[in-house]
Amino acid sequence: MPRDRTLDRVRKLLAKAERTDNEHERATFMAAASALMAKHGIDALPPAGTRQVPGDRIVSLSNPWAREKARLVSLVAQAVRCRPLLIGRGDGGQRVHVFGFAADLERADLLATSLLLQMASGLARVRPPEDVTAVRAYRRSWLLGFTDEVYRLLCEAESRAESESAGPGTVLVLADRRAEVERAVAAYYPKIRMSVPRTSGTGYHDGVTAGRRADLGRTGMTTATARELT
């Protein structure tokens, strides 16, 4: 299926998901869109032996919740075979440097934009339980739970697409591309420090539940989308 036609189908599925109030229908559209996006990532692979060079882009996320938004962008990128690095503050927010091949960078872009908006609208609807006194901690843990569940769902879709692909040639191509991306990262950042966010508050489970219902795809990333998260 031609690339533009595939992405058009994804956008139509997501538009249907956004219009319905029926959670079962929305989940069905979500699953179809995420599966199609994952398959698109496999179909976009070049033949074995074809030489491509990874690219990169820097995504800026503004406050409030800049670090949590950066984590969402990072995990979405990681799920679709890109390599993200949190490179610290910039212009009052956070910046993520994402490395990957063009088709995967595009997929990361599409998905992260949609999910940032969905996370924003979900957080705006969150009402902490009456017994919660640390409201900010609850909201932060909700954001982390949402992000972790979205990451899990995306990884499952990618894994299914890979297992249903043409065969061992695809596995070799994917391994080569991962190695190419890692070399590009190492050349740019020879020393990388790993960190794990701490989870506090009681909103994590509620965030996971919201992430499970997330619509995994939409249209391109802009820095303006980050301002929706308040």
Side-chain angles (χ1 to χ4, degrees), residues 72 115 118-119 142-150 207-208 210-211 214:
L72 175 68
L115 290 165
Q118 291 181 60
M119 191 164 73
W142 186 96
L143 294 171
L144 297 178
F146 178 95
T147 297
D148 284 354
E149 182 63 13
V150 161
V208 167

Side-chain angles (χ1 to χ4, degrees), residues 117-193:
L117 292 171
Q118 291 181 60
M119 191 164 73
S121 61
L123 185 64
R125 293 192 299 269
V126 166
R127 295 294 179 268
E130 292 183 0
D131 59 344
V132 170
T133 56
V135 174
R136 181 174 176 82
Y138 176 91
R139 290 180 179 275
R140 180 175 183 274
S141 61
W142 186 96
L143 294 171
L144 297 178
F146 178 95
T147 297
D148 284 354
E149 182 63 13
V150 161
Y151 176 68
R152 185 187 69 81
L153 293 172
L154 284 174
C155 287
E156 285 184 355
E158 293 293 315
S159 179
R160 283 194 300 269
E162 290 182 21
S163 65
E164 295 167 0
S165 64
T170 300
V171 175
L172 292 175
V173 170
L174 289 174
D176 287 345
R177 287 163 73 87
R178 289 187 179 100
E180 287 280 355
V181 171
E182 289 299 329
R183 281 193 287 271
V185 173
Y188 207 101
Y189 298 104
K191 295 181 180 180
I192 298 175
R193 180 172 60 86

Side-chain angles (χ1 to χ4, degrees), residues 17 38 58 63 73 86 129 132 152 172 184 188 197 211 216 229:
I58 294 177
N63 283 313
V73 169
L86 181 65
V132 170
R152 185 187 69 81
L172 292 175
Y188 207 101
L216 302 181
L229 198 58

Side-chain angles (χ1 to χ4, degrees), residues 70 73-79 82-86 96-99 185:
V73 169
S74 296
L75 287 183
V76 168
Q78 185 173 310
C82 295
R83 179 69 158 88
L85 289 95
L86 181 65
V96 180
H97 199 165
V98 183
F99 293 79
V185 173

